[in-house]
Amino acid sequence: MTGTRARFEAMWADLHPVGRSPVTAGYRRFAWSEADLTCREWFVGEAVRRGLDVTVDRNGNQWAWWGDPDGGGAVATGSHLDSVPDGGAFDGPLGVVSALAAVDLLRDRDVRPVRPLALVNFTDEEGARFGVPCAGSRLMTGDLDPDRARSLRDADGTTMAEAMSAAGHDPAHLGRGEEDLGRLGAFVELHVEQGRALVDRFAAVGVARGIRAHGRWRLDLYGQANHAGTTRLADRDDPMLRLAAAVLAARESADRHAALATIGKVNVEPGGTNAIPSLVRAWLDARGDDEAAVRAVVAAVGAAGAAEPVEESWSPEVTFGRPLRDRIAGLLGGAPVLSTGAGHDAGVLSGAGLPAAMLFVRNPTGVSHSPAEHADIDDCLAGVEALATVLADLLTGQS
Ligand code: HGY
Ligand code: MN
Ligand code: MN
């Protein structure tokens, strides 16, 4: 594995500084930003170095091909390179770097694919800039309307269409990629685990059972701007009080419905220390074992905040298909099978009917969406080995 270790660490070292905050050590690789474009250029360089043909689909997703893209039943693997604000180094990039390292390993072992292999960097998986997660894969599957996507705005008011155009990608052709989907026979995504299941099982690699239902809603809480020092309490219409009620309701209803609810992003207007806000805009991230539980939490939060939650994205519960999952678990000697509450492009593709699976790599603390996110190099190499084993089987075995 020394060759793999050296190659993995060299790629990791190249990516490591891109979009990393010197203050927090977290990453800010937002879709179509300078940091994201640098990551995209890095991906192309690594692919070209391996003689892979790089294409960009109508939705901006990058594909690096080993074999003829139209060879039929392609196996795809990869993940994303964008991040949440102050995200960790592994969420997304581990899947992309491992895919490249797995190609090297397959070639070391003289594996001769009978079907094409595509390495993919899905664009805008986190939805950190424009608010819709898995935007690149949702556009590809038709799960995200292209007109809605083009008009999504970031915090500065820049639309996704403007950001894409500025990055040199024409947004005019966004939409379901029949041809792109038609090329694929299966998708396998390797991802750092965002939890402690593998730690608790003393296992380096696991296989995904499925993804819990989850979505994002926006609460617009309007109030009456006024002076903090002269407005009597009885005369106030302060939306902050409704935000407080909504946050407490989120925790209470999530607990009651065995769900998870987070309000991690709040915008206050006008944002003056000595002014009662005119508007408090808050985003709810709710997740649960089924849709009913999630929607019960959303309803409770809306009632507490006295505002109708505006749904910005919805991801139904995903159960990855047993044939591919069992084939992979078998290849990996009965690796633990785990469910997750984190969304992934593999879930979007599975929901669109493509056989999809995920491999998880042990995260010693389980912490993610944080600069503290980590995976030990030996576990990363175990992930590459596992991915190469799975790809060798899928690329040479019976489809
Ligand atoms: O939010 C998620 O579950 C994923 O990180 N996009
Ligand atoms: Mn993430
Ligand atoms: Mn991810």
Side-chain angles (χ1 to χ4, degrees), residues 113 181 184 207-208 232:
L181 287 167
L184 304 181
V207 180
R232 297 188 313 161

Side-chain angles (χ1 to χ4, degrees), residues 102-254:
V103 166
D104 297 336
L105 207 45
L106 292 174
R107 286 170 170 175
D108 286 350
R109 297 172 177 172
D110 200 23
V111 171
R112 309 254 175 141
V114 299
R115 55 184 63 89
L117 171 66
L119 274 58
V120 59
N121 167 30
F122 278 112
T123 297
D124 200 359
E125 190 275 344
E126 295 292 4
R129 180 174 179 185
F130 298 104
V132 175
C134 299
S137 55
R138 287 176 195 263
L139 279 164
M140 176 174 153
T141 60
D143 187 41
L144 172 58
D145 175 76
D147 286 335
R148 178 179 176 223
R150 278 185 281 263
S151 62
L152 292 170
R153 291 185 185 275
D154 68 9
D156 299 329
T158 304
T159 65
M160 184 184 281
E162 290 162 346
M164 282 183 170
S165 300
H169 184 78
D170 183 355
H173 308 294
L174 297 183
R176 180 173 163 88
E178 284 303 339
E179 191 181 347
D180 303 316
L181 287 167
R183 289 188 178 128
L184 304 181
F187 176 58
V188 180
E189 179 170 5
L190 181 146
H191 205 281
V192 64
E193 189 199 347
Q194 296 163 304
R196 292 183 48 85
L198 290 175
V199 172
D200 297 343
R201 287 170 173 80
F202 307 100
V205 176
V207 180
R209 172 178 294 108
I211 298 174
R212 302 175 81 191
H214 62 283
R216 298 183 186 185
W217 290 264
R218 191 187 74 245
L219 292 170
D220 297 328
L221 308 174
Y222 291 93
Q224 185 183 43
N226 213 326
H227 196 299
T230 58
T231 311
R232 297 188 313 161
L233 294 183
D235 298 335
R236 292 184 179 211
D237 177 4
D238 181 353
M240 271 299 184
L241 299 181
R242 291 160 54 204
L243 172 67
V247 171
L248 292 173
R251 172 59 66 93
E252 188 280 328
S253 58

Side-chain angles (χ1 to χ4, degrees), residues 79-80 82 90-93 125-126 189-192 194 342-345 358 368-369 373:
S79 190
H80 61 94
D82 69 304
F90 296 81
D91 177 352
E125 190 275 344
E126 295 292 4
E189 179 170 5
L190 181 146
H191 205 281
V192 64
Q194 296 163 304
H344 299 282
D345 294 306
M358 292 192 74
S368 184
H369 284 187
E373 181 185 83

